[in-house]
PDB file of all heavy atoms in Angstrom:
ATOM      1  N   ALA A   1       0.814  -1.221   0.000  1.00 76.00           N
ATOM      2  CA  ALA A   1       0.000   0.000   0.000  1.00 76.00           C
ATOM      3  C   ALA A   1       0.843   1.266   0.000  1.00 76.00           C
ATOM      4  O   ALA A   1       0.470   2.263  -0.619  1.00 76.00           O
ATOM      5  CB  ALA A   1      -0.943  -0.001   1.206  1.00 76.00           C
ATOM      6  N   ALA A   2       1.992   1.234   0.698  1.00 71.00           N
ATOM      7  CA  ALA A   2       2.818   2.439   0.800  1.00 71.00           C
ATOM      8  C   ALA A   2       4.098   2.340  -0.014  1.00 71.00           C
ATOM      9  O   ALA A   2       4.999   3.161   0.145  1.00 71.00           O
ATOM     10  CB  ALA A   2       3.162   2.709   2.268  1.00 71.00           C
ATOM     11  N   LEU A   3       4.177   1.348  -0.899  1.00 74.00           N
ATOM     12  CA  LEU A   3       5.423   1.112  -1.615  1.00 74.00           C
ATOM     13  C   LEU A   3       5.388   1.683  -3.033  1.00 74.00           C
ATOM     14  O   LEU A   3       4.335   1.730  -3.671  1.00 74.00           O
ATOM     15  CB  LEU A   3       5.717  -0.392  -1.695  1.00 74.00           C
ATOM     16  CG  LEU A   3       5.787  -1.155  -0.367  1.00 74.00           C
ATOM     17  CD1 LEU A   3       6.249  -2.581  -0.617  1.00 74.00           C
ATOM     18  CD2 LEU A   3       6.698  -0.466   0.632  1.00 74.00           C
ATOM     19  N   THR A   4       6.551   2.097  -3.519  1.00 73.00           N
ATOM     20  CA  THR A   4       6.678   2.500  -4.915  1.00 73.00           C
ATOM     21  C   THR A   4       6.679   1.242  -5.786  1.00 73.00           C
ATOM     22  O   THR A   4       6.779   0.117  -5.296  1.00 73.00           O
ATOM     23  CB  THR A   4       7.986   3.266  -5.143  1.00 73.00           C
ATOM     24  OG1 THR A   4       9.090   2.369  -4.891  1.00 73.00           O
ATOM     25  CG2 THR A   4       8.090   4.464  -4.221  1.00 73.00           C
ATOM     26  N   ARG A   5       6.606   1.458  -7.097  1.00 75.00           N
ATOM     27  CA  ARG A   5       6.637   0.306  -8.007  1.00 75.00           C
ATOM     28  C   ARG A   5       7.946  -0.470  -7.861  1.00 75.00           C
ATOM     29  O   ARG A   5       7.950  -1.705  -7.887  1.00 75.00           O
ATOM     30  CB  ARG A   5       6.456   0.785  -9.456  1.00 75.00           C
ATOM     31  CG  ARG A   5       5.042   1.240  -9.760  1.00 75.00           C
ATOM     32  CD  ARG A   5       4.827   1.413 -11.252  1.00 75.00           C
ATOM     33  NE  ARG A   5       5.694   2.428 -11.837  1.00 75.00           N
ATOM     34  CZ  ARG A   5       5.684   2.752 -13.128  1.00 75.00           C
ATOM     35  NH1 ARG A   5       4.881   2.127 -13.960  1.00 75.00           N
ATOM     36  NH2 ARG A   5       6.486   3.702 -13.586  1.00 75.00           N
ATOM     37  N   HIS A   6       9.053   0.254  -7.705  1.00 76.00           N
ATOM     38  CA  HIS A   6      10.341  -0.414  -7.539  1.00 76.00           C
ATOM     39  C   HIS A   6      10.365  -1.238  -6.261  1.00 76.00           C
ATOM     40  O   HIS A   6      10.816  -2.394  -6.258  1.00 76.00           O
ATOM     41  CB  HIS A   6      11.465   0.625  -7.530  1.00 76.00           C
ATOM     42  CG  HIS A   6      12.821   0.052  -7.230  1.00 76.00           C
ATOM     43  ND1 HIS A   6      13.483  -0.796  -8.096  1.00 76.00           N
ATOM     44  CD2 HIS A   6      13.629   0.190  -6.136  1.00 76.00           C
ATOM     45  CE1 HIS A   6      14.643  -1.145  -7.566  1.00 76.00           C
ATOM     46  NE2 HIS A   6      14.752  -0.563  -6.385  1.00 76.00           N
ATOM     47  N   GLU A   7       9.872  -0.666  -5.168  1.00 76.00           N
ATOM     48  CA  GLU A   7       9.854  -1.383  -3.892  1.00 76.00           C
ATOM     49  C   GLU A   7       8.897  -2.572  -3.949  1.00 76.00           C
ATOM     50  O   GLU A   7       9.170  -3.631  -3.364  1.00 76.00           O
ATOM     51  CB  GLU A   7       9.464  -0.423  -2.773  1.00 76.00           C
ATOM     52  CG  GLU A   7      10.538   0.618  -2.467  1.00 76.00           C
ATOM     53  CD  GLU A   7      10.007   1.798  -1.663  1.00 76.00           C
ATOM     54  OE1 GLU A   7       8.779   2.040  -1.663  1.00 76.00           O
ATOM     55  OE2 GLU A   7      10.834   2.491  -1.047  1.00 76.00           O
ATOM     56  N   THR A   8       7.774  -2.416  -4.653  1.00 81.00           N
ATOM     57  CA  THR A   8       6.844  -3.530  -4.820  1.00 81.00           C
ATOM     58  C   THR A   8       7.489  -4.661  -5.600  1.00 81.00           C
ATOM     59  O   THR A   8       7.339  -5.844  -5.261  1.00 81.00           O
ATOM     60  CB  THR A   8       5.564  -3.063  -5.537  1.00 81.00           C
ATOM     61  OG1 THR A   8       4.893  -2.109  -4.710  1.00 81.00           O
ATOM     62  CG2 THR A   8       4.621  -4.229  -5.809  1.00 81.00           C
ATOM     63  N   THR A   9       8.242  -4.308  -6.648  1.00 83.00           N
ATOM     64  CA  THR A   9       8.954  -5.322  -7.434  1.00 83.00           C
ATOM     65  C   THR A   9       9.946  -6.070  -6.556  1.00 83.00           C
ATOM     66  O   THR A   9      10.071  -7.309  -6.642  1.00 83.00           O
ATOM     67  CB  THR A   9       9.689  -4.672  -8.618  1.00 83.00           C
ATOM     68  OG1 THR A   9       8.722  -4.035  -9.465  1.00 83.00           O
ATOM     69  CG2 THR A   9      10.461  -5.703  -9.423  1.00 83.00           C
ATOM     70  N   GLN A  10      10.640  -5.334  -5.667  1.00 78.00           N
ATOM     71  CA  GLN A  10      11.567  -5.975  -4.728  1.00 78.00           C
ATOM     72  C   GLN A  10      10.828  -6.951  -3.822  1.00 78.00           C
ATOM     73  O   GLN A  10      11.283  -8.083  -3.595  1.00 78.00           O
ATOM     74  CB  GLN A  10      12.275  -4.920  -3.875  1.00 78.00           C
ATOM     75  CG  GLN A  10      13.366  -4.143  -4.580  1.00 78.00           C
ATOM     76  CD  GLN A  10      14.041  -3.177  -3.622  1.00 78.00           C
ATOM     77  OE1 GLN A  10      13.383  -2.498  -2.832  1.00 78.00           O
ATOM     78  NE2 GLN A  10      15.352  -3.102  -3.682  1.00 78.00           N
ATOM     79  N   LEU A  11       9.694  -6.524  -3.302  1.00 82.00           N
ATOM     80  CA  LEU A  11       8.924  -7.379  -2.409  1.00 82.00           C
ATOM     81  C   LEU A  11       8.460  -8.641  -3.132  1.00 82.00           C
ATOM     82  O   LEU A  11       8.535  -9.750  -2.590  1.00 82.00           O
ATOM     83  CB  LEU A  11       7.713  -6.617  -1.866  1.00 82.00           C
ATOM     84  CG  LEU A  11       6.715  -7.469  -1.064  1.00 82.00           C
ATOM     85  CD1 LEU A  11       7.363  -8.019   0.193  1.00 82.00           C
ATOM     86  CD2 LEU A  11       5.477  -6.648  -0.712  1.00 82.00           C
ATOM     87  N   PHE A  12       7.999  -8.491  -4.374  1.00 88.00           N
ATOM     88  CA  PHE A  12       7.507  -9.646  -5.111  1.00 88.00           C
ATOM     89  C   PHE A  12       8.642 -10.624  -5.427  1.00 88.00           C
ATOM     90  O   PHE A  12       8.410 -11.833  -5.541  1.00 88.00           O
ATOM     91  CB  PHE A  12       6.800  -9.192  -6.387  1.00 88.00           C
ATOM     92  CG  PHE A  12       5.416  -8.646  -6.139  1.00 88.00           C
ATOM     93  CD1 PHE A  12       4.639  -8.173  -7.185  1.00 88.00           C
ATOM     94  CD2 PHE A  12       4.886  -8.596  -4.861  1.00 88.00           C
ATOM     95  CE1 PHE A  12       3.370  -7.668  -6.960  1.00 88.00           C
ATOM     96  CE2 PHE A  12       3.617  -8.086  -4.620  1.00 88.00           C
ATOM     97  CZ  PHE A  12       2.861  -7.624  -5.669  1.00 88.00           C
ATOM     98  N   ARG A  13       9.863 -10.116  -5.576  1.00 85.00           N
ATOM     99  CA  ARG A  13      11.009 -11.025  -5.727  1.00 85.00           C
ATOM    100  C   ARG A  13      11.181 -11.868  -4.467  1.00 85.00           C
ATOM    101  O   ARG A  13      11.455 -13.073  -4.533  1.00 85.00           O
ATOM    102  CB  ARG A  13      12.289 -10.220  -5.991  1.00 85.00           C
ATOM    103  CG  ARG A  13      12.371  -9.608  -7.380  1.00 85.00           C
ATOM    104  CD  ARG A  13      13.813  -9.226  -7.708  1.00 85.00           C
ATOM    105  NE  ARG A  13      13.879  -8.317  -8.845  1.00 85.00           N
ATOM    106  CZ  ARG A  13      14.097  -7.009  -8.735  1.00 85.00           C
ATOM    107  NH1 ARG A  13      14.290  -6.461  -7.550  1.00 85.00           N
ATOM    108  NH2 ARG A  13      14.140  -6.254  -9.820  1.00 85.00           N
ATOM    109  N   VAL A  14      11.018 -11.214  -3.308  1.00 82.00           N
ATOM    110  CA  VAL A  14      11.108 -11.936  -2.037  1.00 82.00           C
ATOM    111  C   VAL A  14       9.995 -12.980  -1.953  1.00 82.00           C
ATOM    112  O   VAL A  14      10.224 -14.120  -1.528  1.00 82.00           O
ATOM    113  CB  VAL A  14      11.030 -10.955  -0.846  1.00 82.00           C
ATOM    114  CG1 VAL A  14      10.945 -11.713   0.464  1.00 82.00           C
ATOM    115  CG2 VAL A  14      12.229 -10.025  -0.846  1.00 82.00           C
ATOM    116  N   VAL A  15       8.788 -12.604  -2.367  1.00 88.00           N
ATOM    117  CA  VAL A  15       7.666 -13.543  -2.342  1.00 88.00           C
ATOM    118  C   VAL A  15       7.963 -14.763  -3.211  1.00 88.00           C
ATOM    119  O   VAL A  15       7.686 -15.906  -2.827  1.00 88.00           O
ATOM    120  CB  VAL A  15       6.365 -12.848  -2.799  1.00 88.00           C
ATOM    121  CG1 VAL A  15       5.248 -13.871  -3.029  1.00 88.00           C
ATOM    122  CG2 VAL A  15       5.924 -11.822  -1.766  1.00 88.00           C
ATOM    123  N   GLU A  16       8.550 -14.530  -4.388  1.00 90.00           N
ATOM    124  CA  GLU A  16       8.888 -15.649  -5.266  1.00 90.00           C
ATOM    125  C   GLU A  16       9.940 -16.553  -4.626  1.00 90.00           C
ATOM    126  O   GLU A  16       9.878 -17.783  -4.752  1.00 90.00           O
ATOM    127  CB  GLU A  16       9.381 -15.139  -6.629  1.00 90.00           C
ATOM    128  CG  GLU A  16       8.294 -14.509  -7.489  1.00 90.00           C
ATOM    129  CD  GLU A  16       7.167 -15.487  -7.802  1.00 90.00           C
ATOM    130  OE1 GLU A  16       7.401 -16.721  -7.814  1.00 90.00           O
ATOM    131  OE2 GLU A  16       6.036 -15.027  -8.010  1.00 90.00           O
ATOM    132  N   GLU A  17      10.907 -15.959  -3.929  1.00 84.00           N
ATOM    133  CA  GLU A  17      11.905 -16.759  -3.226  1.00 84.00           C
ATOM    134  C   GLU A  17      11.258 -17.595  -2.138  1.00 84.00           C
ATOM    135  O   GLU A  17      11.569 -18.777  -1.966  1.00 84.00           O
ATOM    136  CB  GLU A  17      12.972 -15.845  -2.616  1.00 84.00           C
ATOM    137  CG  GLU A  17      13.871 -15.151  -3.642  1.00 84.00           C
ATOM    138  CD  GLU A  17      14.786 -14.128  -2.986  1.00 84.00           C
ATOM    139  OE1 GLU A  17      14.811 -14.074  -1.741  1.00 84.00           O
ATOM    140  OE2 GLU A  17      15.457 -13.378  -3.719  1.00 84.00           O
ATOM    141  N   LEU A  18      10.329 -16.985  -1.395  1.00 85.00           N
ATOM    142  CA  LEU A  18       9.641 -17.706  -0.331  1.00 85.00           C
ATOM    143  C   LEU A  18       8.756 -18.807  -0.910  1.00 85.00           C
ATOM    144  O   LEU A  18       8.627 -19.888  -0.321  1.00 85.00           O
ATOM    145  CB  LEU A  18       8.793 -16.730   0.491  1.00 85.00           C
ATOM    146  CG  LEU A  18       9.568 -15.674   1.267  1.00 85.00           C
ATOM    147  CD1 LEU A  18       8.620 -14.678   1.921  1.00 85.00           C
ATOM    148  CD2 LEU A  18      10.458 -16.319   2.311  1.00 85.00           C
ATOM    149  N   ARG A  19       8.149 -18.534  -2.068  1.00 90.00           N
ATOM    150  CA  ARG A  19       7.341 -19.550  -2.734  1.00 90.00           C
ATOM    151  C   ARG A  19       8.218 -20.774  -3.050  1.00 90.00           C
ATOM    152  O   ARG A  19       7.826 -21.921  -2.815  1.00 90.00           O
ATOM    153  CB  ARG A  19       6.750 -18.971  -4.017  1.00 90.00           C
ATOM    154  CG  ARG A  19       5.672 -19.844  -4.669  1.00 90.00           C
ATOM    155  CD  ARG A  19       5.462 -19.455  -6.119  1.00 90.00           C
ATOM    156  NE  ARG A  19       5.077 -18.079  -6.316  1.00 90.00           N
ATOM    157  CZ  ARG A  19       3.821 -17.646  -6.317  1.00 90.00           C
ATOM    158  NH1 ARG A  19       2.834 -18.489  -6.118  1.00 90.00           N
ATOM    159  NH2 ARG A  19       3.547 -16.373  -6.543  1.00 90.00           N
ATOM    160  N   ALA A  20       9.424 -20.510  -3.582  1.00 88.00           N
ATOM    161  CA  ALA A  20      10.338 -21.596  -3.933  1.00 88.00           C
ATOM    162  C   ALA A  20      10.809 -22.366  -2.698  1.00 88.00           C
ATOM    163  O   ALA A  20      11.109 -23.564  -2.782  1.00 88.00           O
ATOM    164  CB  ALA A  20      11.542 -21.041  -4.693  1.00 88.00           C
ATOM    165  N   GLN A  21      10.842 -21.665  -1.553  1.00 85.00           N
ATOM    166  CA  GLN A  21      11.262 -22.312  -0.308  1.00 85.00           C
ATOM    167  C   GLN A  21      10.126 -23.057   0.381  1.00 85.00           C
ATOM    168  O   GLN A  21      10.318 -23.661   1.434  1.00 85.00           O
ATOM    169  CB  GLN A  21      11.821 -21.252   0.647  1.00 85.00           C
ATOM    170  CG  GLN A  21      13.107 -20.597   0.162  1.00 85.00           C
ATOM    171  CD  GLN A  21      13.466 -19.347   0.947  1.00 85.00           C
ATOM    172  OE1 GLN A  21      13.003 -19.159   2.083  1.00 85.00           O
ATOM    173  NE2 GLN A  21      14.284 -18.483   0.361  1.00 85.00           N
ATOM    174  N   GLY A  22       8.917 -22.996  -0.210  1.00 91.00           N
ATOM    175  CA  GLY A  22       7.792 -23.745   0.350  1.00 91.00           C
ATOM    176  C   GLY A  22       7.006 -23.013   1.405  1.00 91.00           C
ATOM    177  O   GLY A  22       6.224 -23.637   2.142  1.00 91.00           O
ATOM    178  N   VAL A  23       7.168 -21.680   1.508  1.00 90.00           N
ATOM    179  CA  VAL A  23       6.395 -20.912   2.480  1.00 90.00           C
ATOM    180  C   VAL A  23       4.961 -20.736   1.962  1.00 90.00           C
ATOM    181  O   VAL A  23       4.748 -20.436   0.780  1.00 90.00           O
ATOM    182  CB  VAL A  23       7.034 -19.533   2.734  1.00 90.00           C
ATOM    183  CG1 VAL A  23       6.175 -18.684   3.665  1.00 90.00           C
ATOM    184  CG2 VAL A  23       8.436 -19.698   3.306  1.00 90.00           C
ATOM    185  N   ALA A  24       3.993 -20.944   2.816  1.00 95.00           N
ATOM    186  CA  ALA A  24       2.589 -20.701   2.470  1.00 95.00           C
ATOM    187  C   ALA A  24       2.266 -19.247   2.778  1.00 95.00           C
ATOM    188  O   ALA A  24       2.639 -18.737   3.844  1.00 95.00           O
ATOM    189  CB  ALA A  24       1.679 -21.621   3.268  1.00 95.00           C
ATOM    190  N   MET A  25       1.564 -18.576   1.859  1.00 95.00           N
ATOM    191  CA  MET A  25       1.318 -17.149   2.036  1.00 95.00           C
ATOM    192  C   MET A  25      -0.149 -16.789   1.815  1.00 95.00           C
ATOM    193  O   MET A  25      -0.806 -17.338   0.929  1.00 95.00           O
ATOM    194  CB  MET A  25       2.205 -16.343   1.075  1.00 95.00           C
ATOM    195  CG  MET A  25       3.661 -16.291   1.508  1.00 95.00           C
ATOM    196  SD  MET A  25       4.778 -15.639   0.216  1.00 95.00           S
ATOM    197  CE  MET A  25       5.038 -17.114  -0.768  1.00 95.00           C
TER     198      MET A  25
END
């Protein structure tokens, strides 16, 4: 909600890493 597009892209990279590690979100 408070993130720029660049910061959102960074966060989504983290989400993809967590997805690969088997984290449920």
Side-chain angles (χ1 to χ4, degrees):
L3 304 187
T4 64
R5 288 192 298 180
H6 174 68
E7 290 163 339
T8 296
T9 299
Q10 285 183 317
L11 172 64
F12 283 179
R13 287 198 196 103
V14 173
V15 169
E16 290 300 334
E17 291 173 7
L18 295 174
R19 191 198 302 271
Q21 294 167 21
V23 176
M25 285 168 277

